[in-house]
Amino acid sequence: MAKKALLDADIKLGEKILASLDSANYPVSVAVWTLTENYDGWQLVIGTPLYDKGQLEAHGKLIKALRKDDPESTDSQEVRLMSNREPFIRELRRSYSKAKAGTRISGYIGGMWLDDGVVYRVK
């Protein structure tokens, strides 16, 4: 797989998404851009306890939060929600809880191979 660069526009998009989620009080435990062989391009992975209450509810609240400030927004296509119980999210929370925003990560993490990643938030 040819490695794709994470562009400044992507980083700003991630910041905008997180700001919208924070403004809507959407709980985010983990936010990290990921590049894997299973997905053609970068995805913003969000770990949230809302996922355990129901995937449809979690996605509905995500879309509502993103469209609150920007009604035409369709940025949710680049966002992948995951449960805090997922091994990938649990391992990030265990191993990268002190990582600063912008930290690059890669390798085998919680059962998932990560070609590249950029941390926004891990708590």
Side-chain angles (χ1 to χ4, degrees):
M1 175 172 131
K3 191 170 180 178
K4 299 177 181 185
L6 185 65
L7 304 175
D8 285 339
D10 297 319
I11 292 182
K12 288 180 179 162
L13 172 63
E15 291 169 353
K16 178 182 172 186
I17 289 171
L18 272 181
S20 293
L21 296 178
D22 289 343
S23 174
N25 294 317
Y26 191 95
V28 175
S29 304
V30 170
V32 58
W33 277 110
T34 62
L35 181 63
T36 68
E37 62 185 24
N38 299 332
Y39 185 78
D40 186 32
W42 288 86
Q43 277 187 309
L44 182 60
V45 173
I46 303 286
T48 178
L50 287 181
Y51 197 84
D52 296 323
K53 295 178 181 179
Q55 295 177 24
L56 289 177
E57 179 181 346
H59 281 90
K61 288 183 177 184
L62 170 79
I63 292 168
K64 184 178 178 182
L66 294 179
R67 291 189 176 163
K68 181 180 177 192
D69 295 328
D70 183 2
E72 302 300 316
S73 175
T74 56
D75 296 334
S76 62
Q77 295 174 24
E78 296 174 342
V79 178
R80 177 179 177 191
L81 294 180
M82 295 180 86
S83 164
N84 283 346
R85 295 179 184 165
E86 286 284 334
F88 178 69
I89 299 298
R90 286 195 341 246
E91 184 62 28
L92 284 172
R93 294 180 81 190
R94 185 174 24 255
S95 300
Y96 295 94
S97 62
K98 297 184 193 244
K100 296 183 190 287
T103 299
R104 299 301 283 232
I105 59 175
S106 62
Y108 192 71
I109 301 171
M112 187 167 123
W113 178 258
L114 196 63
D115 292 319
D116 197 3
V118 178
V119 171
Y120 278 104
R121 177 184 304 164
V122 178
K123 60 179 181 178

